[in-house]
Amino acid sequence: EITDAATEEEALQRAAIGVARAFSVRIGFISQPVAGEPSCLVTRALADGGRIQPNIRSRVEGTPCETLSQGGFAIHRAGVSDRFPRHDWAVNQCIESFFAIELRDDGGQLLGHIGGMDDKPMHWRNTDPERDIDLLRLFGGRVAGEINRRNAERQLRWANELLQRSSEAARIGTWELDLESGELFWSQVTRTIHEVGAHFDPDSEAALSFYKPGTNRDTRERAYARAVEHGEAYDEECEIVTATGREVWVRVIGLPVVADGRCRRVYGLI
């Protein structure tokens, strides 16, 4: 199983070992184009006899990968070393058979290849070769999906880090109140604005208590009540008294989330 692997590297290594076992070959691999050098490939995972080996790099030209068909797969049942004599690694390993299929993302962009090799001629597991090709496509789909998922998670982390840094630079904090559980979330910038520690655990009453008594607190209470009772967003300027006693003017934006006629949560900026 590759989806529960702790890292992308571990997931790809599991897949390389898995494809070798599934097709009863000595070597399983996953490769990808080298960034900025599309004519070159580098393995992301290389398993030989069930053991992970150091990754290798080679040019596409003169290797079995250059024979990938329009269907996105290549199969050489025998004679690989003789047919590709310029592929030094394959020749040194006495590679006789090879198969691979392309890995592509949701937009059709090439992610790499997954496949296997052996120092003996290839024999299909099934009497119908199409079943083995379908199994190879299944492996390819699972691995491509995992790479896509982890790429999306990585991009989301980058976006969140960028948002956090932008928020810190602009002193824009975020907050969210779950009306079902009563749990209130404050971002680090929101804590900084209120001059509380990183481990301060806010709740609704504590948050309201920072607003200066009188007009400011009343304004905040009325705006919040309209959001919860009528689903109205609000944008108010109020004065708060921070945990250190400083009086600070803030702008508070609240956005209600309504489902089935009820406000379920309110989130916003400060």
Side-chain angles (χ1 to χ4, degrees), residues 9-58:
E9 180 183 25
E10 181 184 350
L12 297 181
Q13 290 174 352
R14 290 186 185 184
I17 293 172
V19 74
R21 289 176 176 169
F23 288 90
S24 301
V25 294
R26 192 186 106 199
I27 297 170
F29 72 91
I30 295 173
S31 65
Q32 71 175 27
V34 176
E37 299 181 62
S39 63
C40 293
L41 294 173
V42 62
T43 56
R44 293 286 307 279
L46 179 64
D48 188 340
R51 295 178 179 274
I52 297 301
Q53 304 297 318
N55 287 316
I56 60 174
R57 171 176 168 150
S58 67

Side-chain angles (χ1 to χ4, degrees), residues 41 58-67 76 84 86-87 98:
L41 294 173
S58 67
R59 298 187 64 83
V60 176
E61 184 181 1
T63 73
C65 281
E66 74 174 346
T67 64
H76 300 279
F84 302 97
R86 289 187 295 166
H87 192 195
F98 172 97

Side-chain angles (χ1 to χ4, degrees), residues 1-13:
E1 182 59 55
I2 62 176
T3 56
D4 62 352
T7 65
E8 183 174 341
E9 180 183 25
E10 181 184 350
L12 297 181
Q13 290 174 352

Side-chain angles (χ1 to χ4, degrees), residues 58-229:
S58 67
R59 298 187 64 83
V60 176
E61 184 181 1
T63 73
C65 281
E66 74 174 346
T67 64
L68 285 163
S69 70
Q70 291 185 347
F73 64 88
I75 300 172
H76 300 279
R77 295 181 176 86
V80 169
S81 295
D82 292 336
R83 185 172 180 182
F84 302 97
R86 289 187 295 166
H87 192 195
D88 293 340
W89 185 89
V91 172
N92 292 337
Q93 295 291 322
C94 301
I95 297 302
E96 182 72 13
S97 56
F98 172 97
F99 63 90
I101 191 168
E102 291 180 341
L103 305 174
R104 294 188 177 273
D105 64 17
D106 296 336
Q109 186 73 24
L110 180 66
L111 297 171
H113 312 87
I114 183 172
M117 296 175 273
D118 208 321
D119 51 11
K120 300 185 295 293
M122 181 187 300
H123 299 287
W124 291 116
R125 290 167 51 88
N126 297 291
T127 55
D128 180 4
E130 284 298 323
R131 294 183 62 184
D132 286 290
I133 294 173
D134 288 343
L135 179 60
L136 183 56
R137 288 196 178 105
L138 177 62
F139 262 96
R142 290 290 300 279
V143 174
E146 183 65 9
I147 294 174
N148 284 330
R149 182 179 72 83
R150 291 180 184 262
N151 283 345
E153 289 177 351
R154 187 160 48 245
Q155 291 170 3
L156 180 59
R157 285 196 299 271
W158 290 340
N160 286 337
E161 289 174 9
L162 179 60
L163 177 61
Q164 178 67 22
R165 291 179 183 179
S166 300
S167 296
E168 289 173 356
R171 285 183 62 82
I172 299 174
T174 60
W175 58 273
E176 180 175 344
L177 175 62
D178 186 329
L179 296 176
E180 302 290 327
S181 65
E183 183 178 358
L184 176 62
F185 164 80
W186 276 7
S187 70
Q188 185 55 50
V189 177
T190 302
R191 296 173 191 275
T192 300
I193 291 172
H194 289 81
E195 297 184 330
V196 297
H199 300 292
F200 177 75
D201 189 18
D203 57 36
S204 296
E205 292 185 7
L208 184 61
S209 70
F210 283 98
Y211 288 82
K212 193 172 182 179
T215 303
N216 292 281
R217 188 174 298 180
D218 293 344
T219 297
R220 168 65 172 77
E221 281 191 292
R222 286 195 298 269
Y224 175 74
R226 290 197 305 272
V228 174
E229 295 171 10

Side-chain angles (χ1 to χ4, degrees), residues 229-240:
E229 295 171 10
H230 304 292
E232 296 180 11
Y234 61 88
D235 184 345
E236 302 285 355
E237 291 187 1
C238 303
E239 194 172 11
I240 66 171

